[in-house]
Amino acid sequence: MPEPLSDDLLAGFTSPVPYTVEAVADAPRAPGVHVVLDDGTVIYVGRTGNLRNRLRQHLTGNRESSVLHEQVGQILDKQVPVASAHDIADWLGRREIRWQETDNPEGTKEALVLALKPRFNRQVPHPRR
């Protein structure tokens, strides 16, 4: 049986680790792409000029600083009156993160979003003609 598409697409990424502040402390301060996984399924693809800072920002920032933080908050808001930053970080901490350094984070993110259609990416980019 062939491996799932995401395994091939993520071949150059780190091994999955729990998405915690402690785990992302080892991320490089370099441009790259990161994916958040829920039970092995990619649910978010992000790009950044500084992986360590951005991964930490998703966990410790606020809804204005992170699309992922905002969207997770919207889901949790259905369960509690207003999900706190701690609630959102706790939810993310039960997921996994992988990242890859790349000089072309935009192109890598676009290819992954088009192929995987993650649930937390707001806009799927249009394929280039």
Side-chain angles (χ1 to χ4, degrees), residues 106-126:
E106 295 85 3
T108 303
K109 176 186 175 179
E110 182 176 310
L112 288 171
V113 169
L114 286 170
L116 300 174
K117 298 176 179 50
R119 86 184 232 209
F120 287 120
N121 285 89
R122 279 192 182 152
Q123 299 174 351
V124 175
H126 299 290

Side-chain angles (χ1 to χ4, degrees), residues 5 17 21 24 32 34-35 57 61 67 71 78 81 86 91 94 98 100-101 116 124-126:
L5 175 64
V17 295
V21 172
V24 302
H34 53 284
V35 295
Q57 188 176 41
V67 169
Q71 291 188 318
K78 295 174 185 169
H86 177 78
W91 188 92
R94 295 190 304 274
R98 296 176 72 176
Q100 176 186 54
E101 288 183 55
L116 300 174
V124 175
H126 299 290

